[in-house]
């Protein structure tokens, strides 16, 4: 499997863990050796594995956790690190996300997730002011 495909697979595993409410899978995708960080929409930054995993546990175990899917994932490699930008689709909103991965013991593990509101796309044709 090419490195880009391995990174996309790790990114898909992150969203699959969230969508299936699989806390074990969510814990497995996050780095163990590097302290991860996470910024959920509207939240303060979370630092360290304990805080990050606890936040996902609270979201996943909440009976009102949103359904989510990911599209448009693009990989950007930086040696032993990489990041993925993608669009997150929830029932009532669309978010733009960045997920940063680091190779840890031969596997790509997420070390940072940040998602935030996405503005409506700009018109593709110029408009004139009246």
């Amino acid at each position: 499997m090419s490195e880009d495909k391995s990174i996309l697979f790790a990114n898909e595993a992150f969203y699959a863990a969230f969508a299936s409410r699989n806390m074990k899978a969510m814990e497995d995708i996050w780095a163990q050796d590097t302290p991860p960080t996470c910024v959920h929409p509207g939240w303060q930054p979370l630092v360290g594995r304990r805080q990050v995993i606890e936040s996902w546990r609270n979201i996943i175990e909440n009976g009102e956790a949103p359904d989510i899917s990911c599209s448009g994932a693009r990989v950007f490699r930086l040696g032993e690190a990489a990041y993925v930008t993608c669009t997150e689709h929830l029932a009532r909103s669309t978010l733009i996300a960045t997920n940063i991965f680091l190779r840890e013991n031969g596997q790509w593990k997420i070390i940072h997730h940040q998602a935030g509101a996405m503005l409506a796309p700009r018109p593709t044709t110029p408009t004139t002011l009246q």
Side-chain angles (χ1 to χ4, degrees):
M1 181 181 303
S2 76
E3 287 304 316
D4 285 2
K5 285 183 181 179
S6 295
I7 297 160
L8 285 172
F9 181 79
N11 193 67
E12 290 170 14
F14 168 69
Y15 287 102
F18 186 11
S20 66
R21 314 294 195 264
N22 184 334
M23 197 57 218
K24 171 75 170 105
M26 182 61 77
E27 289 178 19
D28 288 347
I29 194 62
W30 284 88
Q32 298 270 347
D33 299 336
T34 302
T37 55
C38 183
V39 181
H40 297 293
W43 292 32
Q44 293 293 319
L46 303 170
V47 178
R49 186 168 166 83
R50 186 187 58 75
Q51 278 192 342
V52 170
I53 296 300
E54 184 178 308
S55 76
W56 286 107
R57 185 176 314 285
N58 290 335
I59 291 168
I60 286 173
E61 292 177 356
N62 176 351
E64 298 178 17
D67 290 330
I68 189 167
S69 64
C70 168
S71 69
R74 293 182 60 197
V75 174
F76 301 87
R77 291 259 333 267
L78 306 163
E80 295 296 302
Y83 64 96
V84 175
T85 59
C86 59
T87 303
E88 296 180 349
H89 304 277
L90 294 91
R92 295 184 300 250
S93 63
T94 301
L95 305 174
I96 193 74
T98 302
N99 299 313
I100 302 174
F101 294 86
L102 186 65
R103 193 188 318 264
E104 188 177 272
N105 299 319
Q107 296 183 333
W108 291 101
K109 299 292 184 173
I110 192 167
I111 60 168
H112 180 76
H113 167 76
Q114 184 164 354
M118 187 168 86
L119 298 175
R122 294 179 183 230
T124 56
T125 57
T127 58
T128 57
L129 299 175
Q130 300 284 335

